[in-house]
Amino acid sequence: MAISGDGLRALWVEEDRSNIIVFKRLSTFADFQILQTIQLGSGSAAELLHPNFDYAGKFMAVSMPGTGSDNAIKIYAYDETKFNYVLESSFNAIDTLTDGDSLGKQEAHVSKDGTRLFVGASGATNGAIAMLKLDKQGKVPVSSGTATAEHIIYGLDAGDNFGMGLSTDYNGKRIVGVGLESGSSVSNVRVIQTQEDSITSSSTFNINEVK
């Protein structure tokens, strides 16, 4: 389940994971009505993780594990002429991602201003979070099912499983990434500051140290 920042769009994933039901309302004082049903396709009975909107509900990101040959990360954009969401980008790999290749098993997160897409890929060793540029139509650079990332942030150590959880501020310039040490209940959290085209700083702390 997810709701846009302005409160005018919401979605619900059916229990059998076969469809996403998208709702709309004209104001925060109105009731929601069904806008659209999006079929998820074959193999989507596996868990679908963290669908989310940008602030205005223009873009919707979905990560879909267990989809076989179907693309695991999908970006939908609201079409003002068709009055529904259309698929604008989909991919199942990110080039230069040398670690954490389990796309679709972690969160795909759209920044609230709709300019960046972040994909967690915890993988088998360090893990990673990929940062991709999202254009005004909801497209990311994709060729033959492989997307191109602006930057990839890797876990610091083997077994970090970095990217199993993530969140960002409004414009995606500050990232919080979560990893879980293999065979441990210890979670590591990194807060990462970015500029327009680069990663500028990073701080790491153990979640057990936060009071």
Side-chain angles (χ1 to χ4, degrees):
M1 185 173 182
I3 189 167
S4 60
D6 61 8
L8 303 183
R9 295 285 189 273
L11 64 83
W12 172 263
V13 181
E14 289 187 339
E15 186 176 355
D16 64 359
R17 307 299 199 268
S18 60
N19 296 296
I20 296 176
I21 311 298
V22 184
F23 301 87
K24 71 170 184 177
R25 59 182 176 178
L26 298 179
S27 75
T28 55
F29 300 102
D31 293 330
F32 278 109
Q33 297 179 341
I34 293 178
L35 170 67
Q36 180 182 4
T37 299
I38 299 174
Q39 294 183 340
L40 297 181
S42 62
S44 57
E47 186 177 5
L48 183 145
L49 298 177
H50 307 297
N52 64 95
F53 294 100
D54 67 339
Y55 181 86
K58 180 179 180 181
F59 301 130
M60 179 174 66
V62 179
S63 59
M64 297 172 59
T67 53
S69 61
D70 195 11
N71 287 335
I73 307 296
K74 298 179 183 291
I75 307 297
Y76 294 86
Y78 186 74
D79 189 316
E80 297 287 351
T81 61
K82 297 179 179 179
F83 302 106
N84 62 15
Y85 286 88
V86 297
L87 181 64
E88 291 290 354
S89 293
S90 65
F91 56 93
N92 53 22
I94 298 176
D95 67 354
T96 73
L97 185 58
T98 58
D99 188 15
D101 57 357
S102 302
L103 295 187
K105 295 183 180 180
Q106 308 301 331
E107 184 172 356
H109 178 87
V110 180
S111 62
K112 292 303 180 184
D113 67 351
T115 61
R116 285 174 167 173
L117 172 69
F118 297 85
V119 179
S122 62
T125 50
N126 293 35
I129 293 175
M131 182 172 72
L132 302 91
K133 188 171 184 178
L134 196 64
D135 71 12
K136 293 181 179 180
Q137 286 73 47
K139 297 182 184 296
V140 298
V142 176
S143 177
S144 301
T146 299
T148 300
E150 285 187 290
H151 300 285
I152 298 175
I153 309 157
Y154 292 101
L156 299 178
D157 300 300
D160 273 356
N161 291 307
F162 186 62
M164 66 177 296
L166 69 97
S167 187
T168 73
D169 63 358
Y170 181 84
N171 55 18
K173 292 187 176 181
R174 183 168 294 159
I175 310 161
V176 177
V178 179
L180 180 66
E181 294 180 9
S182 296
S184 170
S185 60
V186 177
S187 296
N188 292 314
V189 178
R190 293 174 65 190
V191 181
I192 300 155
Q193 181 72 39
T194 76
Q195 291 183 342
E196 186 65 26
D197 297 310
S198 63
I199 305 298
T200 59
S201 62
S202 173
S203 58
T204 304
F205 55 91
N206 187 314
I207 198 168
N208 295 341
E209 299 171 355
V210 180
K211 305 298 183 181

